[in-house]
């Protein structure tokens, strides 16, 4: 997969001196570039980090780990130099011990403005596998229901934030959030908005990749339910989701066919 998104959690560099900086600054043109340029002269190596500057916000946050082993000044003085810049409002710092530094300066964790938690895909698949172990084939119903409920909830958030018409008109963009949130890499092969049919090619789907690793022959359950719940809630119509190809069965990618099951001839947009 191209361009993996690494979430700032910790940095480990044995034998090096690390520091974390959280810079609160005005959300104005050139502010971040000037901050970074100000650090360059002190031989600081910027490592992983992130910059949050919502278009509607007057303030921004630049948070990063840095290797300050060869810096000509210490972390505290670096912070003071940053504070002296006219658009910087505050600076927090933390220093490593034995080259290990964990980010605990950002809480809660948010996704699209709502609180979230981060879990590794292995942890999620272990939970799903536990359901299969305990409930056998009955786990499929439980996992499917969980997926559908979560998909419906996601759709309700989208409609609440953007409105139904915007959600429908920009459906292909909202489907890309499955990629943005780490479910899988989605490619929309075809979309007939009038008929309510959609074909997807999905790569790296955590659920099916795990099934392939275990070689148990099971295909997607949770993701199918999630897609069904999302589409049904957005369009207020019953949808069916079928996985026609799956990596767990030896295919190179997973393929999903999404179909509107409502026996109507009018466009979906007219029924909203």
């Amino acid at each position: 997969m191209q361009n993996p998104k690494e979430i700032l959690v910790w940095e480990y560099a044995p034998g090096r001196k690390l520091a974390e900086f959280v810079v609160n600054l005005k959300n104005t043109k050139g502010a971040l570039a000037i901050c970074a340029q100000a650090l360059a002269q002190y031989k600081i190596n910027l490592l992983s980090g992130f910059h949050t500057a919502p278009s509607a916000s007057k303030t921004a946050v630049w948070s990063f780990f840095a290797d300050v082993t060869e810096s000509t000044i210490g972390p505290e003085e670096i912070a003071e130099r940053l504070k002296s810049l006219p658009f910087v409002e505050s600076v927090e710092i933390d220093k490593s011990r034995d080259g290990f530094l964990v980010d605990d300066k950002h809480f809660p964790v948010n996704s699209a403005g709502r609180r979230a938690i981060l879990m590794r895909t292995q942890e999620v698949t272990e939970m799903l596998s536990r359901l299969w172990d305990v409930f056998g084939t009955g786990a499929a119903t439980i996992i499917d229901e969980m997926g559908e409920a979560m998909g419906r909830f996601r759709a309700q958030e989208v409609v609440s934030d953007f409105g139904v018409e915007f959600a429908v008109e920009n459906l292909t963009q909202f489907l890309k959030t499955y990629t943005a949130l780490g479910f899988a890499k989605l490619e929309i092969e075809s979309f007939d908005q009038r008929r309510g049919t959609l074909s997807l090619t999905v790569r790296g789907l955590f659920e099916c990749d795990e099934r392939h690793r275990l070689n148990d022959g099971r295909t997607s359950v949770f993701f199918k339910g999630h897609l069904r719940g999302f589409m049904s809630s957005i369009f207020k119509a019953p949808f069916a989701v079928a996985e026609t190809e799956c990596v767990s069965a030896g295919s190179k990618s997973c393929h999903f066919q999404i179909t509107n099951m409502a026996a109507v001839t009018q466009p979906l947009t007219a029924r909203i």
Side-chain angles (χ1 to χ4, degrees):
M1 298 297 171
Q2 295 180 342
N3 306 318
K5 184 188 297 183
E6 187 69 28
I7 305 299
L8 183 71
V9 177
W10 66 55
E11 194 71 48
Y12 181 47
R16 309 294 290 181
K17 295 179 181 179
L18 307 179
E20 180 182 15
F21 296 84
V22 181
V23 184
N24 289 276
L25 63 161
K26 295 178 181 178
N27 190 6
T28 186
K29 291 185 294 185
L32 178 61
I34 294 173
C35 283
Q37 187 175 13
L39 298 177
Q41 60 185 305
Y42 304 119
K43 297 183 179 180
I44 299 166
N45 184 21
L46 301 183
L47 304 174
S48 53
F50 64 88
H51 179 232
T52 303
S55 58
S57 175
K58 294 182 179 181
T59 59
V61 177
W62 181 32
S63 186
F64 59 92
F65 288 132
D67 187 332
V68 296
T69 307
E70 299 169 2
S71 175
T72 56
I73 60 176
E76 292 84 359
E77 190 173 351
I78 294 169
E80 291 302 316
R81 301 287 176 90
L82 287 171
K83 288 179 185 178
S84 70
L85 298 174
F87 39 75
V88 173
E89 298 182 348
S90 66
V91 180
E92 296 179 60
I93 64 170
D94 196 6
K95 294 182 289 186
S96 67
R97 180 177 180 180
D98 300 326
F100 183 56
L101 184 58
V102 177
D103 170 43
D104 67 346
K105 293 190 173 298
H106 300 93
F107 185 84
V109 175
N110 292 328
S111 170
R114 289 182 170 84
R115 184 173 174 180
I117 61 172
L118 299 176
M119 297 182 68
R120 299 182 188 277
T121 56
Q122 186 64 39
E123 294 172 324
V124 177
T125 53
E126 283 296 326
M127 288 194 301
L128 298 181
S129 294
R130 184 60 176 161
L131 287 173
W132 287 109
D133 292 341
V134 174
F135 297 102
T137 57
T141 300
I142 299 172
I143 296 171
D144 177 76
E145 288 288 334
M146 289 194 305
E148 180 174 356
M150 293 175 68
R152 287 185 179 277
F153 184 77
R154 177 72 52 76
Q156 290 166 8
E157 288 186 336
V158 167
V159 170
S160 174
D161 290 346
F162 297 94
V164 178
E165 290 187 8
F166 188 91
V168 171
E169 292 300 321
N170 293 275
L171 177 66
T172 56
Q173 289 296 312
F174 284 113
L175 287 172
K176 291 180 181 179
T177 62
Y178 282 107
T179 297
L181 294 171
F183 279 68
K185 180 69 175 177
L186 268 67
E187 294 179 18
I188 299 172
E189 301 295 340
S190 64
F191 176 40
D192 187 330
Q193 191 176 40
R194 184 178 183 87
R195 294 178 180 272
T197 59
L198 185 69
S199 296
L200 301 176
T201 294
V202 179
R203 295 180 174 85
L205 178 58
F206 73 92
E207 184 182 17
C208 294
D209 281 359
E210 178 65 8
R211 301 269 67 84
H212 177 64
R213 184 184 70 83
L214 295 174
N215 194 29
D216 61 9
R218 297 189 183 113
T219 57
S220 170
V221 178
F222 177 83
F223 186 65
K224 281 198 304 182
H226 203 290
L227 280 173
R228 187 178 67 251
F230 182 82
M231 293 294 291
S232 297
S233 187
I234 289 288
F235 288 105
K236 297 183 177 65
F239 273 74
V241 179
E243 186 177 13
T244 57
E245 295 182 45
C246 185
V247 295
S248 67
S251 297
K252 293 183 178 180
S253 58
C254 298
H255 295 265
F256 293 85
Q257 186 70 28
I258 305 171
T259 306
N260 169 35
M261 300 302 292
V264 295
T265 57
Q266 62 191 113
L268 283 171
T269 49
R271 302 180 60 246
I272 296 170

